[in-house]
Amino acid sequence: MPAGEKVLLVDDREDNLFALHSALSPLGYPLESATSGDAALKAVLRGGVAVTVLDVVMPGVSGLDVLRYMQRVEQTRRIPVILVTGMGVDAQLSRTAMRLGAADLLMKPIDPWALCIKVRYLHRAAHGRPAPARAGAAVLPAGPAALTGPDVADAPVDRAGRWGHP
């Protein structure tokens, strides 16, 4: 099955989804959001997802549960998943993420530059081609100021330009 085009963003907090969307939209990939593990599973099963950015701690179906399910289903097993957590990374979580096949495990607050690099790399790998660039648009945000402009004024960003609530 050919790789999809969309980047699926999954977090139960709307402000974190907004920040993820703001950080990744300059890459030019179609973005889809889900606010629960159930919604994430439905989205990946519908198809068209190239990369998933997935919060670990969510009510109901957790990010680890979503990843566990994705690894058991042929249709979704090759979709790279970047896990995101605000609860701190410990050895057990790292081992579990690795065992389940996560492409990466990131701590909130997240550096938007690093997230863009990881998503772009995984998207390119899924397609074996360069990332799309919109005419007249930068491929990556223009530094931390890009996340604090008027269109993302409500995004939770710290002084280092990282965003995200635990």
Side-chain angles (χ1 to χ4, degrees), residues 29-43:
Y29 303 126
L31 302 175
E32 181 176 346
S33 298
T35 57
S36 70
D38 286 331
L41 289 171
K42 289 175 184 173

Side-chain angles (χ1 to χ4, degrees):
M1 166 178 275
E5 288 293 324
K6 293 184 284 191
V7 177
L8 177 62
L9 311 174
V10 186
D11 199 302
D12 58 314
R13 294 183 57 125
E14 292 287 341
D15 54 343
N16 285 343
L17 282 174
F18 181 74
L20 282 169
H21 192 278
S22 298
L24 295 174
S25 61
L27 292 176
Y29 303 126
L31 302 175
E32 181 176 346
S33 298
T35 57
S36 70
D38 286 331
L41 289 171
K42 289 175 184 173
V44 295
L45 289 171
R46 277 192 302 268
V49 175
V51 179
T52 301
V53 180
L54 179 62
D55 188 25
V56 172
V57 179
M58 294 184 290
V61 179
S62 75
L64 292 174
D65 293 334
V66 171
L67 181 55
R68 196 172 285 117
Y69 181 82
M70 287 175 67
Q71 293 304 313
R72 286 191 294 225
V73 176
E74 180 63 34
Q75 176 185 347
T76 58
R77 123 174 353 138
R78 289 179 186 80
I79 299 171
V81 175
I82 300 172
L83 290 174
V84 177
T85 183
M87 303 307 288
V89 176
D90 61 26
Q92 180 62 37
L93 176 58
S94 297
R95 276 192 301 274
T96 301
M98 186 175 130
R99 183 177 50 79
L100 292 175
D104 208 337
L105 175 61
L106 301 177
M107 277 277 295
K108 294 177 189 175
I110 296 172
D111 176 354
W113 286 92
L115 181 62
C116 283
I117 290 167
K118 291 169 191 299
V119 168
R120 183 178 62 185
Y121 175 82
L122 292 169
H123 201 284
R124 282 180 177 176
H127 293 282
R129 63 182 179 357
R134 296 184 315 216
V139 174
L140 292 176
L147 293 181
T148 57
D151 57 334
V152 292
D154 295 328
V157 179
D158 70 7
R159 290 182 193 204
R162 297 172 303 200
W163 59 266
H165 288 293

